[in-house]
Amino acid sequence: MYDFFFYLPRYKRLVDNIFPEDPEDGLVKANMEKLTFYALSAPEKLDRIGAYLSERLSRDVARHRYGYVCIAMEALDQLLMACHCQSINLFVESFLKMVRKLLESDKPNLQILGTNSFVKFANIEEDTPSYHRSYDFFVSRFSEMCHSNYEDPDIRTKIRMAGIKGLQGVVRKTVNDELQANIWDPQHMDKIVPSLLFNLQSGERTESRSPSPLQASEKEKESPAELTERCFRELLGRAAYGNIKNAVSPVLIFLHFSLMFQSQHSHLVIQQLLGHLDANSKNSAKVRAGIVEVLLEAAAIAASGSVGPTVLEVFNTLLRQLRLSVDYELTGSYDGSTNIGTKIIKAHEERQLQEAVIRTIGSFANTLPTYQRSEVMLFIMGKIPVPGLKCIVSISRPQGTRMIQIMLLKSLVQVTTGFQNTNMLTALPDTFLDPLLSFSLINHSEVRLLVLQILLSLIDRHDNRPKFSKIRIISDISVLKLKVDKCSRQDNLFMKKHGQHLCRHIYLGCKEPNSDQQHYETLYALLGLLSVELANEEVVVDLIRLALALQDLALSTDEGLTIYNRCAVHALSAAYLNLICQLTTVPAFCQHIHEVIEVRQKEGPYLLPEGVFLEHPKLPPSLEKVESGVLFLQSKIAEVLGGSGYNTDRLATPYVPQYTDEDRLSKRKSIGETISLQVEVESRNSPEKEERTPAEEITFETLKSAIVDSAGMEEQERERRRQVVEKFQKAPFEEIAAHCGARATMLQNKLNQIFEITIRPPPSPSGTISSGYGQSQSRSVPIYEMKFPDLCVY
């Protein structure tokens, strides 16, 4: 053994001599001095010394001889402190390899030992540069140690502090060395900065676990939070102008997502913010807007972790704040009074708050899945005051109802933006569509425009809406690159159920005298989306009839529309017919539409979008004399489309919308505007009648029935049939059975009466005969023997 020892190279014998037989005795200092002197005298051997020490350390770690590991690291530290020759680079590679070996260990003491050695190395100023050294592993490993979750809190604190010191050492070693990898790169800063901020945030929990002053030195008493603060100050202090952005960006990201560390409890943070907002409901608008802005960020973060009633709770609180803000704006004070001494609020600040609330509603809704967003849509719709019904929200002044309608519809616009659905029946249920369309009949232009925008967002499923943003005549619609899919069975059912309803509201929307260019453009977009998203052959026919009915509406002088409105409706009809004729790809249909458009371009440009929707359009003084050449002919369109298989009878029937009580309720018009009573008089067709039919008594029911428009009987009959079909589709089975049973009973009674009349012989004009039992019995007389009155004989 001893003979073999003397055959070893001298540097290996010197290295072996520093290790005692018992590791508890520690490093042999005399032999360490000899090794150091040898390394200084023969610097070319320094790399071999480092490699041999690294080999011994790896072997001792594998054999769990941790005492010798500590001795090896102590020897390495002393050699690093003593040697500054040009060969130090090769020795550093072996040193870093041993530090990495310790950091990869699962023993906390070895991790801390390796970190302390690295920190000592980081404080050494090297004389020669290094071109190939990398610290990526140390950045990742030290950042991981900063997030240690070791079971023992004292050891966990030591590991985290070691990680912080290690990151501090990496920064010191590389920040001023241009040859090293740039520590300011985002890939490094995204690990270093969040690790430091994590310990800064959790410092209060670990501080209570720090050792007592009697057991620790002043340096050891430093908490992770204090060490982190010092390290972070040093990091930002070393940042240059071009690097500060990479250091600050992770800070902002950390603050933005700090609520995500425990996502299962994130909804509690939202509840606290909502409670804080309610507690400050009478504070200034700026304070409330600040809380809402925090909710704007926090709601998006916690949306994925929100469960239970939290979603609707957020919207309920925000809608309540919206209502309060409207009330404050109208009254000018927080208590509804204008007494002296009352805190007066500023209307523009309340408007800013309202916009912030609406943005927050939209931001939160955009993070929800489709089914939850549908629930939110129904929830908001239930909060909007419906015309003619008692308002759910209590607004102190009448104009407050209109303001809250606008605010809540704006919220719905935010919620429905980007809404993706595959089934229109579930996206637009009756409970949502019916009240929504009722708002399209209100005499307020902004409300109607918001309703149309909501419909566009819900119907547009292939991002075709931007392609219809401007109303114009397009000679070739292929440039639009429309995405058209075949209608599904659900789409056909939706249009069969609601198609006439939508057409009626489009028609009535064109009759509004306070509509402007934006309204007509939105109506054109709605017609276009219906054609490419939901149109089958039957829907195409109805939309063409609607466009021709709009042309008739523009020709009429009975609706009280201005010249601009009538020209705009003409332009809308022309633009849509130009679109739908190219979608149907029927050459004769396209030819007729294009011929009329060419005539209008020459003789009546004010009947086309390019001539109407201008800043200063040139309109005629009247539209009393409109030549037939500039009009689209329903008979011609029915003829050319009938040859392509479309329903000719339906095309030839003019579209007449059915007016309902909903229209008059929404319009709020006076009953005395258009009443024309027709009282039924006695009939003159039967002068022999002894009693004359008395004149009809004029009651409330008579006045009500007089308002109903008698036109469009065919459309009314079709609507009645649709309602019957809808009733049998939706009504409960018991109700349908009872209805059919009553109809069957009535039919049976009628049949019995008919059978009784046909089977029983008719009374004879010759009188009766007596039976043998003293009863009179009718005698059947041949018809040629009967005596008829003279007036009945021809």
Side-chain angles (χ1 to χ4, degrees), residues 728-788:
F728 276 88
Q729 290 176 344
K730 294 184 176 181
F733 175 79
E734 293 77 10
E735 181 180 343
I736 296 176
H739 178 72
C740 293
R743 293 284 299 273
T745 303
M746 183 184 303
L747 177 61
Q748 186 63 41
N749 293 336
K750 294 293 184 183
L751 289 175
N752 291 338
Q753 294 179 10
I754 295 173
F755 292 150
E756 185 178 0
I757 294 174
T758 55
I759 295 174
R760 180 182 301 170
S764 175
S766 61
T768 61
I769 59 176
S770 298
S771 64
Y773 300 97
Q775 296 178 348
S776 60
Q777 189 178 16
S778 298
R779 184 181 63 179
S780 178
V781 179
I783 191 170
Y784 55 86
E785 294 182 3
M786 292 182 183
K787 295 181 180 180
F788 296 95

Side-chain angles (χ1 to χ4, degrees), residues 184-203:
W184 301 106
D185 287 345
Q187 60 176 341
H188 299 308
M189 286 291 107
D190 290 346
K191 298 176 182 177
I192 295 174
V193 174
S195 301
L196 297 176
L197 293 177
F198 173 75
N199 285 274
L200 194 64
Q201 183 186 44
S202 59

Side-chain angles (χ1 to χ4, degrees), residues 295-308:
L295 269 172
L296 176 64
E297 302 294 333
I301 296 171
S304 59
S306 296
V307 293

Side-chain angles (χ1 to χ4, degrees), residues 468-531:
F468 298 114
S469 58
K470 296 295 182 182
I471 177 172
R472 62 189 188 277
I473 301 297
I474 305 174
S475 57
D476 184 7
I477 64 171
S478 62
V479 298
L480 297 179
K481 298 181 179 179
L482 297 172
K483 299 177 182 178
V484 183
D485 287 342
K486 185 178 180 180
C487 288
S488 63
R489 178 175 177 272
Q490 291 81 5
D491 294 341
N492 292 333
L493 290 176
F494 174 81
M495 290 305 294
K496 188 174 183 179
K497 182 178 180 181
H498 299 292
Q500 293 297 324
H501 205 189
L502 291 170
C503 290
R504 184 169 68 92
H505 283 80
I506 293 175
Y507 180 87
L508 296 177
C510 293
K511 293 179 63 175
E512 295 295 338
N514 57 352
S515 297
D516 55 15
Q517 178 178 345
Q518 193 173 5
H519 287 82
Y520 294 114
E521 289 178 345
T522 311
L523 288 169
Y524 171 73
L526 180 57
L527 286 169
L529 288 178
L530 288 175
S531 302

Side-chain angles (χ1 to χ4, degrees), residues 72-89:
M73 291 307 300
E74 185 179 354
L76 285 169
D77 294 341
Q78 292 189 20
L79 288 174
L80 276 175
M81 299 297 294
C83 301
H84 296 282
C85 60
Q86 294 182 352
S87 302
I88 191 70
N89 282 334

